Amino acid sequence: MKKLGFGLMRLPLTDSGDNGSIDQKIVDKMVDYYLEYGFAYFDTAYVYHAGMSEISARKAVVERYRRDKFSITDKMPTWLVTSASDYEKIFTEQLARCGVEYFDYYLLHNIGIKRYTDTRQSGGFEFMRKIREEGRAGHVGFSYHDKAELLDRILTEHPEMEYVQLQINYMDWENEAIQSRKCYETARKHGKPVIVMEPVKGGSLAGVPQEADKLFRMSRPGMSAVSWAIRFAASLEGVFMVLSGMSDFEQVADNVSYMCDFVPLSDKERETINKVAAIIDGNMAIPCTSCGYCFDGCPRRIPIPQYFALYNNQKQFGLLPNQMAYYMNLTQEHGTASDCCECGQCEEHCPQHIDIAEQMKEVAGVFDSR
Ligand code: SF4
Ligand code: SF4
C-alpha cells in the first residue's frame, strides 16, 4: 500500500463555526483524486468533526467504492468508556456510522498513563483481541501520546497489539516531552510497524521561517515545506503509513504529487532538515537544552525540561490539542507547573542560567488555566 494515509479530521466545512458541517461535495472530489492515484488508506475516529467524520467516510468512500478498493481505520474513544459493555456499544455504532462490516485497522485512541490503566481495568485489550479474532478488525493497535518508557511497558505487557500510531515530525523528533524518536525506537525494538500522525505538526510546519524556507527551496525547488515534513516521516524504516489531515483539494494534489512515487530522503536532504530544525529551535522562547540537571532536587517533582519543551512548542506553533494531552499525561505522575513553590533549588543546577521559577509561572499560565 502507498504510504500516504487520508486523515479525516480536518475536512472542509460549509460553516466555519460548526465543526460538524463537513462539505461533502468537496470531500468526495478529494477522495476521488486520492483513490485515482492508487492510494487507499482512510483514517477516521468517533470524535472527529463531532462524530460526522465517520459518516462522511461512509458517504465519500464506502458508498461509492468497492470494499476491496480501500482500507478504513477507526478508533475507540478510550476516555468515553465507563464500563466494559461500552466497548461493544461504541464499536457497533462506529460500524453502522461508517457503513462497514469490519475495519481494516482498529486502534485504542490516545493511550497515555491514565488511559492505559483505565483501559486495562475495563477490559479494553480483551475487547481488541476479540474483534480481531472475529474478523471485525483486520489489525489492532493503539495511538499513543506519552513517554517511551511507558510505551515499552505497554508493548511488553500487550504483545498482541500489532502496531502503534505515533506523533512523529522533524521538530518533535528530539522534543523531551513528546519523545518522537525514543517512542519510534521503542516500537521498532518490539518489532512493531508504525503509523505516523501529525507529520506536519498540526499544519504548523507548512510555514517555516524565511531562512529555513530558503534552504528547502535551494535543495528542491518547487517542493512545498509540507513535502519535506511528510517525506521525513515516510523515510523512516518500519513506517508503513503517514497520515495527512487534508483540508482542501490543493493539499491532496500536493501530497499525491510526491507520495505517488515516493523517494526517501537522501543523506543530503536529511542534513537540510536538520538545519531547518536548528533554525526553528533557535527561536525557542526558553533556551532549555533538556540536560535534566534540574529535575532531581525538585520537591514538587515537576518535570521541568518536559514542561519547557511543551511551552516552547506552544510559543512557536500555538497550542495544539495534542500538547495539552501530553501535559495532562505528565501531571498524572508529576507536579503541575502551578505546584512550583519557587524554592529555587533547580536554578542552582541549570547550566543555561534559566530563571526556572519565573518561567514556570508562564508555563502554568498556558497549561493550568484551561
Ligand atoms: S523552583 Fe519550582 S521547579 Fe524549581 S525546584 Fe523549586 S519547586 Fe521545583
Ligand atoms: S537544567 Fe536548565 S537547561 Fe537543563 S533541563 Fe533544567 S532548565 Fe533545561
Side-chain angles (χ1 to χ4, degrees), residues 237-257:
E237 190 229 318
V239 165
F240 79 97
M241 194 56 60
V242 179
L243 300 176
S244 176
M246 298 181 244
S247 305
D248 56 40
F249 189 82
E250 287 67 35
Q251 286 176 12
V252 183
D254 183 49
N255 285 347
V256 163
S257 69

Side-chain angles (χ1 to χ4, degrees), residues 294-295 297-302 304 337 339-347 356-357 360:
C294 53
F295 176 65
C298 176
R300 302 292 163 91
R301 301 198 67 250
I302 296 172
I304 300 164
D339 289 333
C340 174
C341 61
E342 302 182 48
C343 66
Q345 284 201 53
C346 52
E347 293 173 11
I356 297 175
M360 203 52 75

